[in-house]
Amino acid sequence: MNTCTMSDFMRRAWQAGTAIPGFNVPYLPMMAPIVQALRDTRCFGLIMVARPEWMKFQSKGIREVYEEYQRVKDTRCTRLHLDHVPVIDEDGLRVDYMADLGLAVELGYHSIMVDGSRLSLEENIAATKKVVDMAHAGGIPVEAELGAVMGHEEGPLPPYDELFESGKGFTDPQEALRFVRETGVDWLSVAVGSVHGAISAARKSEKKVEARLSIERLDALQALVNVPMVLHGGSGIRKACVLEAIRHGIAKINVGTAIRQPYEALMGESVAKAQEAAYAATVQAVREELELENSVDKIYVGG
Ligand code: 13P
């Protein structure tokens, strides 16, 4: 029996210069093939669900995801993470985030994320601190976000090159330092050029723009912030940028669109075919795009 927490696994990945991929589950039948892909590639990864995935897709809810996880988990290669519970959601509505995050801690998720990135810095600090206090009392690490990783909102994105060149919305290093100190958050999701794949019904099948990452900004952040950093919007980023980011402090990469779209393309035909597509896409992400095959040897030690 391994007694390491998600906090230990993340620190180990961070210190080894590798990363833990997190795969989103917007449809419950996707979970089994993702677990199988992680097992087959010997990659240590997270199964994740974010609030939009039970509100707008078909993952049903925090409890249902937990139950499916118990059924299909691999105790060596996988852990369960509650991704994006926003304080204000992508449609601008306030969320009872403490209730959702509290339920995940109570059930036994291994880590959770509060997303206060649509708030002012002060409000984001206050909301994140409240979640950290609650989760740490239960021994569960917390991820939070500072800066704007766009894409979940309804409308189209501004032209990507403009967005990247201007650095608009990128995480500010001094703010990050203050944020981490005052909240006690375990991992920080940073905005350095990535964008989320669209999730609105009208745009969710669109091909994602090939994002780039500012390694300079990552270095500036890591110089001040002594916690592992997280990269959201992990699908379709230029490969050289992703590999470089892992060497510069990114210890967790969230991947949603790259496995959701292949599943959705076949789910009308049959669940089995869609599951095969999700499996193939997960193997491809681990092996080809992130080069994280066999990472379990670096991250999971003992028991
Ligand atoms: P993509 O869907 O762009 O891979 O982003 C996933 C994500 O960041 C979930 O938190």
Side-chain angles (χ1 to χ4, degrees), residues 39-210:
R39 185 184 292 127
D40 291 350
T41 54
R42 304 189 65 257
C43 173
F44 186 94
L46 286 163
I47 302 299
M48 311 197 300
V49 69
R51 183 175 180 271
E53 288 163 338
W54 68 82
M55 297 294 288
K56 297 188 170 167
F57 293 87
Q58 296 168 25
S59 62
K60 298 193 178 156
I62 294 171
R63 190 178 295 278
E64 288 82 352
V65 168
Y66 178 80
E67 283 164 4
E68 180 67 359
Y69 181 76
Q70 294 312 311
R71 204 177 69 76
V72 304
K73 69 184 173 186
D74 182 296
T75 50
R76 196 173 169 84
C77 287
T78 67
R79 291 295 182 273
L80 182 63
H81 174 76
L82 185 63
D83 186 26
H84 285 284
V85 174
V87 178
I88 296 182
D89 75 8
E90 59 284 357
D91 302 319
L93 302 173
R94 285 231 155 229
V95 174
D96 187 358
Y97 61 100
M98 288 303 286
D100 284 347
L101 293 158
L103 175 60
V105 170
E106 191 185 307
L107 285 170
Y109 278 62
H110 300 107
S111 50
I112 59 174
M113 181 203 186
V114 57
D115 175 4
S117 65
R118 293 190 184 90
L119 303 170
S120 68
L121 177 62
E122 309 291 331
E123 291 171 314
N124 192 356
I125 288 174
T128 302
K129 170 115 183 46
K130 208 161 126 185
V131 173
V132 168
D133 289 346
M134 177 274 291
H136 282 186
I140 299 302
V142 178
E143 173 184 332
E145 184 163 299
L146 188 66
V149 182
M150 289 191 259
H152 274 170
E153 297 78 7
E154 185 99 8
L157 279 175
Y160 179 76
D161 286 336
E162 256 172 52
L163 205 72
F164 187 77
E165 301 305 337
S166 71
K168 198 166 156 267
F170 281 17
T171 309
D172 177 85
Q174 288 297 337
E175 287 190 1
L177 173 65
R178 183 177 158 207
F179 185 84
V180 170
R181 272 200 186 142
E182 293 186 18
T183 59
V185 79
D186 299 271
W187 321 323
L188 187 66
S189 160
V190 293
V192 292
S194 62
V195 291
H196 286 115
I199 55 170
S200 68
R203 297 185 42 237
K204 68 184 169 67
S205 302
E206 277 177 13
K207 184 171 166 26
K208 266 190 83 177
V209 61
E210 188 192 56

